[in-house]
Amino acid sequence: MKKSHVFEWNNSAFQQKVLAWYDQNRRILPWRAKKNSKPSPYHVWLSEVMLQQTTVPAVKKYFERFTSLWPTIHDLANSPPDAVMQEWAGLGYYARARNLIKCAGIVSADLNGKFPETEKDLKLLPGIGPYTAAAISSIAFGNNSVVVDGNVERIASRVFMVDNPMPLAKKEIHALAKHFYEGITSKRAGDMPQALMDIGATVCTPKSPKCEICPISDLCTVKQRNENPNLYPRKLPKAKKPHREGKVYWLETEAKQILIEKRSDERMLGWMFGFPGTSWDGVGNDFTAPDIDWDMVGDVTHIFTHFSLKLEVLRGRMPVGKVKLNKNQYLIDITEVENVGFPSLYKKVLKLALPARNMDPE
DNA sequence: CAAACGTGGAC
DNA sequence: TGTCCAAGTTT
């Protein structure tokens, strides 16, 4: 503990305030157990994976849809992987969905549908890292794990006024966050991380936190010193995003079919459907476009985490028999193409090419 | 360990 | 328009 704090740090005072706030202000979320009922490990796991690097509003509909289609881990495990990927379409970070499917298979087939209860065993499963293991073990099984997500990091960085920038400060912050959990009973073990996350999401927000209504403001160094909370956690400046360009092909047959392809594991958007094109992700080969007349439909731009992309959309038509399908390529009926769960990049291509196609005189 | 890995909403 | 961000994991 740094001696420089303007107050005497007291774990139990902090915890009491946080939990009392939670009892009055907890959010009602679809994956959360109602008061006095046990949480479902399946729901906790599914929601935690969906919520990784994603917002609560975005996850809600996906969670409802998944649990409606697949009420148990066995249902999910027994579903065709494509169906799961289709339902994940639009949520992003598709490795999460691929790992979700693998994890469901293991838990369903090898573990009799029971999730492990310890962090150590949970972490062995695909898609479950340090955070998610801690979250599941505490929320679903009542273990007093040190759960540190972005919210907890932010709260700790302000409460203890951590001056080292992220991500260097991760270890330091994690060590400080242990204080938040020290001595929590099993009865409250699952509430504590959720309470911190609720405070982080609704009070101790990244920008313009509501310190006036914060239950722990008198224990917060940044607040007590009148520092600017917006500056915490400190961060290193980010590198500029590179820009890439490529081509994507809307290839239609004279029988009103469209060529789509399932992207392989090692590519970006792996296991998702898309349209053929140049290798804009730097993996694999460019699509060899047939030697026909291609109409330029327009450009699609898309911003990924680490680069921006502009794809030129080209549209062409040829006889069915002339189309050579590579592995993982399919011709689907024009009436079905809108029902394919494309990732957002290809959804944009679709929205550009389909109307252009419908305006065509033929 | 730094970099890869999506998306849409807020300001 | 650009920038930041949201319950991280994997390699």
Side-chain angles (χ1 to χ4, degrees):
Chain A
M1 189 69 39
K2 290 205 289 188
K3 303 187 198 78
S4 51
H5 295 126
V6 293
F7 50 83
E8 198 63 29
W9 176 254
N10 180 325
N11 283 349
S12 67
F14 174 89
Q15 291 159 0
Q16 183 271 326
K17 288 168 192 288
V18 168
L19 290 170
W21 179 92
Y22 185 65
D23 290 337
Q24 296 301 316
N25 300 286
R26 64 190 314 196
R27 289 176 293 176
I28 306 300
L29 301 170
W31 45 87
R32 248 179 208 175
K34 302 212 167 51
K35 275 186 183 173
N36 302 320
S37 66
K38 281 204 190 300
S40 148
Y42 171 54
H43 286 182
V44 173
W45 163 71
L46 179 61
S47 64
E48 288 301 340
V49 173
M50 285 182 166
L51 285 161
Q52 289 167 9
Q53 298 294 282
T54 310
T55 58
V56 164
V59 165
K60 279 183 179 169
K61 346 179 215 333
Y62 286 88
F63 180 84
E64 306 274 21
R65 176 79 175 151
F66 269 63
T67 50
S68 152
L69 286 171
W70 305 295
T72 71
I73 182 84
H74 298 297
D75 298 321
L76 181 60
N78 293 331
S79 166
D82 275 351
V84 179
M85 297 307 293
Q86 293 283 292
E87 293 299 332
W88 194 277
L91 240 200
Y93 281 162
Y94 298 96
R96 292 185 297 165
R98 300 194 295 271
N99 284 327
L100 188 88
I101 291 166
K102 293 174 192 167
C103 183
I106 294 168
V107 173
S108 171
D110 303 344
L111 304 176
N112 198 27
K114 307 275 189 222
F115 279 87
E117 300 193 11
T118 67
E119 288 183 71
K120 180 172 153 292
D121 290 339
L122 283 161
K123 232 180 302 186
L124 296 174
L125 295 167
I128 299 185
Y131 161 74
T132 306
I136 296 174
S137 78
S138 75
I139 298 171
F141 300 113
N143 295 310
N144 187 16
S145 309
V146 178
V147 183
V148 183
D149 73 325
N151 290 298
V152 179
E153 278 180 346
R154 186 170 56 256
I155 293 171
S157 77
R158 289 170 179 171
V159 166
F160 299 114
M161 204 166 93
V162 175
D163 280 317
N164 287 326
M166 298 289 282
L168 280 65
K170 268 188 178 293
K171 272 189 180 169
E172 178 186 356
I173 289 177
H174 190 276
L176 288 167
K178 285 184 182 168
H179 295 301
F180 295 166
Y181 297 96
E182 271 168 14
I184 296 289
T185 61
S186 174
K187 187 173 159 50
R188 292 300 238 164
D191 288 340
M192 193 61 194
Q194 297 188 85
L196 291 169
M197 289 189 265
D198 277 13
I199 290 174
T202 64
V203 180
C204 195
T205 47
K207 283 168 288 184
S208 309
K210 303 179 179 68
C211 300
E212 334 74 66
I213 63 162
C214 179
I216 48 175
S217 60
D218 53 343
L219 293 173
C220 178
T221 309
V222 164
K223 172 64 180 170
Q224 293 305 312
R225 291 190 182 174
N226 282 318
E227 299 287 340
N228 181 357
N230 292 324
L231 302 179
Y232 291 83
R234 302 225 105 117
K235 283 175 186 169
L236 265 8
K238 286 174 185 165
K240 230 180 93 182
K241 247 175 238 222
H243 179 74
R244 298 184 191 170
E245 298 190 349
K247 291 180 173 38
V248 61
Y249 297 90
W250 172 275
L251 177 54
E252 188 176 329
T253 71
E254 286 165 357
K256 296 187 166 62
Q257 298 163 306
I258 309 297
L259 177 61
I260 64 172
E261 64 182 23
K262 187 157 74 175
R263 300 175 63 78
S264 58
D265 204 338
E266 67 276 6
R267 309 196 71 168
M268 274 190 75
L269 312 176
W271 290 17
M272 300 301 293
F273 283 102
F275 301 101
T278 56
S279 171
W280 51 265
D281 61 351
V283 181
N285 301 317
D286 291 349
F287 174 62
T288 308
D291 187 17
I292 57 176
D293 288 335
W294 292 98
D295 291 335
M296 210 180 301
V297 184
D299 291 331
V300 155
T301 57
H302 193 71
I303 314 289
F304 291 109
T305 305
H306 55 299
F307 65 93
S308 60
L309 176 67
K310 184 168 86 172
L311 289 182
E312 185 182 8
V313 182
L314 300 163
R315 192 171 55 97
R317 185 178 4 227
M318 62 192 294
V320 184
K322 298 274 190 183
V323 179
K324 290 214 165 66
L325 293 178
N326 296 329
K327 198 170 189 298
N328 292 327
Q329 291 186 332
Y330 310 88
L331 289 173
I332 61 163
D333 198 276
I334 186 82
T335 58
E336 285 177 45
V337 71
E338 281 180 294
N339 300 325
V340 176
F342 288 110
S344 295
L345 169 66
Y346 291 116
K347 215 176 293 174
K348 290 179 184 175
V349 174
L350 174 65
K351 285 183 76 167
L352 189 64
L354 188 58
R357 184 253 170 213
N358 289 339
M359 285 191 323
D360 215 315
E362 207 193 350

